[in-house]
Amino acid sequence: MKRKEQEARIEMQRQEKERAREDAARERARDREERLAALTAAQQEAMEELQKKIQLKHDEGVRRHLEQIEQRKEKAAELSSGRHANTDYAPKLTPYERKKQCTLCGVMISSEVYLFSHIKGKKHQLTVRENSSIQGRELSDEEVEHLSLKKYIVDVLVETPVPLEPVKDVDEKQKNKKKVKKLKTRINSRVKEYESVMETKTPVSDSPYKAKLQRLTKDLQKQLQTQDNGAWATNKVSALDRALGEISRILEKQNASDQISFRAAGGLSVLEQILQTVTPPSNSTTSPRVPLKSVCNAVNIYILTCSNCLENSTYVLMSSKITFLLELLIQQLSLVVPDDEKSTILRSLNKQILDGLTTALLQLLCKIFSCLSTSSSVGSGQTETIKAKPEAKTKLSPADAISSRIQDIIGYTVNIGLIDKLSGCFISIQGPLDESTRMSAFLQAATSLLHELCRLCISVVPSSWDIFESHPDPTGLSAALQNSDVVGVLHMLYCALFHNSSSEPNVSGCKETYEQNTLQVAIQSLRFLNSFATLHLQSFQSVVGAEGLSLAFRHVISSLIWFCTQYTCEDLLHEIIVCVGYFTVNHADNQVIVQSGRHPTVLQKLCQLPFQYFSDSRLVRLLFPTLISACYNNPQNKLILEQELSCLLLATFIQDCLQGSSHPDSKTSLHKDFRQQYLEFSLRFPRHSWETSQQFFLKKD
């Protein structure tokens, strides 16, 4: 019995072990099957991903192949017609070593851009067809271009001097000197009285740092009084930097009471004395009395004192300090752009402006003008600063006194040659901006100053002013901007974006993307162009639509629109949309420019913007006025527009604006922020053409 029980127990243990082994085997088999299934799924997913990548590469290769075929066809068409380049690709804006001349029109041609722009111009093509010896048929555009390049465009072997030009230049300079002298006398007539009132005027609320600011200001005054005309010692420079650093840390908090307390303590006068130590151009070989770093620190404190502080900015405007700052800026720019050596501008530009002082002065003036122009209307918040004594002689109200002073300052800025100096700097740019952050900062500050000058000029116009009508400009700013070809800003942008441009179609003229520095310069440049258009629309359209600049403008706008659709850059795209609208509104020749060139054209790219520009109400108010301006009274542009979207959308938009304008609260004002102006249809398209434009877009062709 014991043996049987033992055998039964052993058998039971064996069976239990067998069952445990079978369970473990089943578990291992199930795990193995799960791992195999997961591995198979991962392999399948990787294979599908690889197939997608292969398909995308294949599609991209097919697209590139088709593009190359299209480019070769265009190149073959060019060569067969005798043309050596195509304006669908960005031509070079680099000046020719030897200028060319159109013997038929008597026009001097300085670069490839101007060459193609002139050949494709209506006036030149009409003249070529009239002088053609071929009878019985009209020459095609290709034949006109071929004939022009072969027969009429010749190199200028010897540039014949024109004796009248120097005489005109001398007369113009004499007139400008007289204007500057007259304006400066008028500006300084009430300066002493105003400064004495403002220096003693106490701020509205005392600053907790008032006593410290007064002490620091007195310390700076003592240092300046005890110093002789020689270079400052190292310990005195250290004490100066220490005091400037303490003042800067207080003012960085942007408290209005601190800013006014510093100005009331005589801080701006002390800063002006520091800036007066800058070496004049005649003594540029001598070492500076105060290190450039300390002078730049003083300018930065000046900026902090006036930034977003209307009272301090108005004080600088109404005192003699504004003229000193402008003269100092001209002095610094004269080192870069000498009056008598216009041909050697390029060589010294990069080295001279990188000191930072010129850029800081531009930023300071930009801050002052911005603060003055962003007030809701002229004199609304500024009149409190000059109510101490009324004008006894002229009997002007405070608002009129500020308006008159602003016009005098803008006229003074124009006549001392600031526009010409900046134009020389912009024209000297011949390459990319990404390599030099200081260069980009200088260009941003310069274009911002031009933008704020235009806005400041707009701020003194009456509220009933219509931007679509021609108005005289007593300051001379719009005439100066027109005569200088918008200060060379388009030239600078074109060279910065297309610095590797080639006439060969298979060599791309622009980079695949742009650096942040270049984008910021482009945004500020387009803001300046838009403010110039708001100031004097006819001058803007005539100068940007002229031969040479119109082609450069089209290439710049087309390239930047493409960039904005590939990479998100809303600020830049919005400025582009508004600029194209101002460029084409009520101007038939400029409407042709936006639909010319290689497809997709500027107009087609605007019609192909993302969906939100046709659905979001704010973006619709931004884009639709430009599309209306570009297509109104132009059947060909309307036909291109209809291929992308329905004209009924534009007609409905105009109808909504007509209904909204009937309300008594719908009046628009130029004194709004410029971003709000962009959304006002009455400031983008003339109100008297709303109904006729609606009928034009409703009409079926």
Short mmCIF file of all heavy atoms in Angstrom, two decimals, residues 568-589:
data_model
loop_
_atom_site.label_atom_id
_atom_site.label_comp_id
_atom_site.label_asym_id
_atom_site.label_seq_id
_atom_site.Cartn_x
_atom_site.Cartn_y
_atom_site.Cartn_z
N THR A 568 5.55 81.50 -42.62
CA THR A 568 4.61 82.44 -42.02
C THR A 568 5.32 83.74 -41.65
O THR A 568 6.26 83.74 -40.87
CB THR A 568 3.97 81.83 -40.76
OG1 THR A 568 3.37 80.59 -41.11
CG2 THR A 568 2.92 82.78 -40.19
N CYS A 569 4.86 84.84 -42.25
CA CYS A 569 5.38 86.17 -41.92
C CYS A 569 4.27 87.17 -42.20
O CYS A 569 4.26 87.85 -43.24
CB CYS A 569 6.64 86.47 -42.73
SG CYS A 569 7.49 87.97 -42.18
N GLU A 570 3.30 87.24 -41.28
CA GLU A 570 2.10 88.03 -41.52
C GLU A 570 2.37 89.51 -41.67
O GLU A 570 1.82 90.16 -42.56
CB GLU A 570 1.09 87.81 -40.37
CG GLU A 570 0.25 86.57 -40.52
CD GLU A 570 -0.97 86.59 -39.61
OE1 GLU A 570 -1.11 87.57 -38.85
OE2 GLU A 570 -1.76 85.65 -39.68
N ASP A 571 3.22 90.06 -40.82
CA ASP A 571 3.50 91.50 -40.87
C ASP A 571 4.00 91.91 -42.25
O ASP A 571 3.55 92.91 -42.82
CB ASP A 571 4.52 91.89 -39.80
CG ASP A 571 3.94 91.82 -38.40
OD1 ASP A 571 2.70 91.76 -38.28
OD2 ASP A 571 4.71 91.82 -37.43
N LEU A 572 4.93 91.14 -42.78
CA LEU A 572 5.49 91.46 -44.10
C LEU A 572 4.42 91.32 -45.18
O LEU A 572 4.29 92.19 -46.06
CB LEU A 572 6.67 90.54 -44.38
CG LEU A 572 7.34 90.69 -45.74
CD1 LEU A 572 7.86 92.11 -45.94
CD2 LEU A 572 8.48 89.69 -45.91
N LEU A 573 3.64 90.25 -45.13
CA LEU A 573 2.62 90.03 -46.16
C LEU A 573 1.58 91.13 -46.15
O LEU A 573 1.13 91.60 -47.20
CB LEU A 573 1.97 88.66 -45.94
CG LEU A 573 0.91 88.25 -46.98
CD1 LEU A 573 1.48 88.27 -48.38
CD2 LEU A 573 0.35 86.86 -46.66
N HIS A 574 1.18 91.60 -44.97
CA HIS A 574 0.17 92.66 -44.90
C HIS A 574 0.70 93.96 -45.48
O HIS A 574 -0.04 94.67 -46.19
CB HIS A 574 -0.25 92.86 -43.44
CG HIS A 574 -0.98 91.68 -42.87
ND1 HIS A 574 -1.39 91.60 -41.55
CD2 HIS A 574 -1.38 90.51 -43.44
CE1 HIS A 574 -2.00 90.44 -41.35
NE2 HIS A 574 -1.99 89.76 -42.47
N GLU A 575 1.97 94.26 -45.23
CA GLU A 575 2.55 95.48 -45.82
C GLU A 575 2.61 95.36 -47.34
O GLU A 575 2.37 96.33 -48.06
CB GLU A 575 3.95 95.72 -45.25
CG GLU A 575 4.01 95.96 -43.75
CD GLU A 575 3.34 97.24 -43.31
OE1 GLU A 575 3.17 98.15 -44.13
OE2 GLU A 575 2.95 97.32 -42.12
N ILE A 576 2.93 94.16 -47.84
CA ILE A 576 2.99 93.94 -49.29
C ILE A 576 1.62 94.15 -49.91
O ILE A 576 1.48 94.82 -50.95
CB ILE A 576 3.50 92.51 -49.58
CG1 ILE A 576 4.96 92.37 -49.18
CG2 ILE A 576 3.31 92.15 -51.04
CD1 ILE A 576 5.46 90.94 -49.19
N ILE A 577 0.59 93.58 -49.29
CA ILE A 577 -0.77 93.69 -49.84
C ILE A 577 -1.19 95.15 -49.94
O ILE A 577 -1.71 95.60 -50.97
CB ILE A 577 -1.76 92.89 -48.95
CG1 ILE A 577 -1.50 91.39 -49.08
CG2 ILE A 577 -3.20 93.21 -49.33
CD1 ILE A 577 -2.26 90.55 -48.07
N VAL A 578 -0.95 95.92 -48.89
CA VAL A 578 -1.33 97.34 -48.89
C VAL A 578 -0.52 98.11 -49.93
O VAL A 578 -1.05 98.97 -50.65
CB VAL A 578 -1.12 97.94 -47.48
CG1 VAL A 578 -1.38 99.44 -47.49
CG2 VAL A 578 -2.05 97.27 -46.48
N CYS A 579 0.78 97.79 -50.05
CA CYS A 579 1.64 98.51 -50.99
C CYS A 579 1.20 98.27 -52.43
O CYS A 579 1.17 99.21 -53.23
CB CYS A 579 3.09 98.05 -50.79
SG CYS A 579 4.30 99.10 -51.59
N VAL A 580 0.85 97.05 -52.78
CA VAL A 580 0.36 96.76 -54.13
C VAL A 580 -0.95 97.51 -54.40
O VAL A 580 -1.18 98.01 -55.51
CB VAL A 580 0.18 95.24 -54.32
CG1 VAL A 580 -0.47 94.93 -55.66
CG2 VAL A 580 1.52 94.53 -54.22
N GLY A 581 -1.80 97.62 -53.38
CA GLY A 581 -3.05 98.37 -53.54
C GLY A 581 -2.80 99.83 -53.83
O GLY A 581 -3.39 100.41 -54.77
N TYR A 582 -1.93 100.48 -53.06
CA TYR A 582 -1.60 101.89 -53.33
C TYR A 582 -0.92 102.05 -54.69
O TYR A 582 -1.11 103.05 -55.38
CB TYR A 582 -0.68 102.43 -52.23
CG TYR A 582 -1.38 102.75 -50.94
CD1 TYR A 582 -0.82 102.39 -49.71
CD2 TYR A 582 -2.60 103.43 -50.93
CE1 TYR A 582 -1.46 102.69 -48.52
CE2 TYR A 582 -3.24 103.72 -49.74
CZ TYR A 582 -2.67 103.35 -48.54
OH TYR A 582 -3.32 103.65 -47.37
N PHE A 583 -0.12 101.06 -55.09
CA PHE A 583 0.61 101.14 -56.35
C PHE A 583 -0.33 101.13 -57.56
O PHE A 583 -0.07 101.79 -58.58
CB PHE A 583 1.59 99.96 -56.42
CG PHE A 583 2.41 99.89 -57.67
CD1 PHE A 583 3.36 100.85 -57.95
CD2 PHE A 583 2.24 98.85 -58.57
CE1 PHE A 583 4.13 100.78 -59.11
CE2 PHE A 583 3.00 98.77 -59.73
CZ PHE A 583 3.94 99.73 -59.99
N THR A 584 -1.44 100.41 -57.46
CA THR A 584 -2.31 100.20 -58.62
C THR A 584 -3.59 101.03 -58.61
O THR A 584 -4.25 101.12 -59.65
CB THR A 584 -2.71 98.72 -58.72
OG1 THR A 584 -3.30 98.31 -57.47
CG2 THR A 584 -1.50 97.85 -59.01
N VAL A 585 -3.97 101.64 -57.50
CA VAL A 585 -5.28 102.29 -57.42
C VAL A 585 -5.34 103.46 -58.42
O VAL A 585 -4.47 104.34 -58.43
CB VAL A 585 -5.57 102.76 -55.97
CG1 VAL A 585 -4.55 103.79 -55.48
CG2 VAL A 585 -6.97 103.32 -55.86
N ASN A 586 -6.34 103.41 -59.29
CA ASN A 586 -6.57 104.45 -60.31
C ASN A 586 -5.35 104.70 -61.19
O ASN A 586 -5.09 105.84 -61.61
CB ASN A 586 -7.00 105.77 -59.63
CG ASN A 586 -8.42 105.72 -59.13
OD1 ASN A 586 -9.20 104.85 -59.53
ND2 ASN A 586 -8.78 106.63 -58.25
N HIS A 587 -4.57 103.68 -61.47
CA HIS A 587 -3.36 103.85 -62.30
C HIS A 587 -3.27 102.67 -63.28
O HIS A 587 -2.85 101.57 -62.91
CB HIS A 587 -2.11 103.91 -61.42
CG HIS A 587 -0.95 104.60 -62.08
ND1 HIS A 587 -0.28 104.08 -63.16
CD2 HIS A 587 -0.36 105.80 -61.80
CE1 HIS A 587 0.69 104.91 -63.52
NE2 HIS A 587 0.66 105.97 -62.71
N ALA A 588 -3.67 102.91 -64.53
CA ALA A 588 -3.76 101.82 -65.51
C ALA A 588 -2.41 101.20 -65.83
O ALA A 588 -2.29 99.97 -65.96
CB ALA A 588 -4.42 102.35 -66.79
N ASP A 589 -1.35 102.02 -65.96
CA ASP A 589 -0.03 101.47 -66.30
C ASP A 589 0.50 100.57 -65.19
O ASP A 589 1.10 99.52 -65.47
CB ASP A 589 0.96 102.62 -66.55
CG ASP A 589 0.62 103.39 -67.82
OD1 ASP A 589 -0.10 102.84 -68.66
OD2 ASP A 589 1.07 104.55 -67.94
#
